[in-house]
Amino acid sequence: TEKSVLDLLDAVLQQATTVPPTKVVVLTALVKLADRFKGSHADDIQRILSRYGTNINAELQARSCEYNQLLKVQAASPRYQLQALPSQP
């Protein structure tokens, strides 16, 4: 289910052994899933992303803030799509 996918990704983010580059990939996955889940779990996704808005790691902090802004734009303009978001290298 969608909830189990979000729970799994959240668990990966909370693992102490998960390195920052992996966390960035998970944050990217969350923002891509936000488009697929179509608002059913938008609050959960934004809550998870917001947790990293003040992270000590600059890359995680930047991605979190950028992705939260993208989700706000998408919510304000439903025609805006996140599907073309490139994958992480």
Side-chain angles (χ1 to χ4, degrees):
T1 66
E2 294 174 353
K3 179 70 173 150
S4 63
V5 171
L6 291 180
D7 289 343
L8 175 65
L9 292 175
D10 194 22
V12 170
L13 286 170
Q14 292 184 32
Q15 288 290 322
T17 57
T18 305
V19 294
T22 303
K23 290 183 179 188
V24 169
V25 171
V26 172
L27 294 180
T28 302
L30 284 169
V31 78
K32 287 183 174 187
L33 287 172
D35 187 57
R36 296 214 194 275
F37 291 173
K38 296 293 184 200
S40 58
H41 294 286
D43 290 339
D44 293 333
I45 292 172
Q46 284 193 315
R47 177 185 49 78
I48 294 168
L49 289 172
S50 295
R51 212 180 308 148
Y52 293 89
T54 57
N55 195 281
I56 194 167
N57 183 288
E59 184 71 16
L60 285 171
Q61 186 180 67
R63 294 296 84 73
S64 171
C65 294
E66 289 171 3
Y67 293 160
N68 263 322
Q69 285 300 102
L70 283 172
L71 292 177
K72 288 177 186 175
V73 168
Q74 183 183 26
S77 177
R79 294 184 336 160
Y80 180 76
Q81 296 289 318
L82 292 175
Q83 293 174 355
L85 191 66
S87 61
Q88 290 290 324

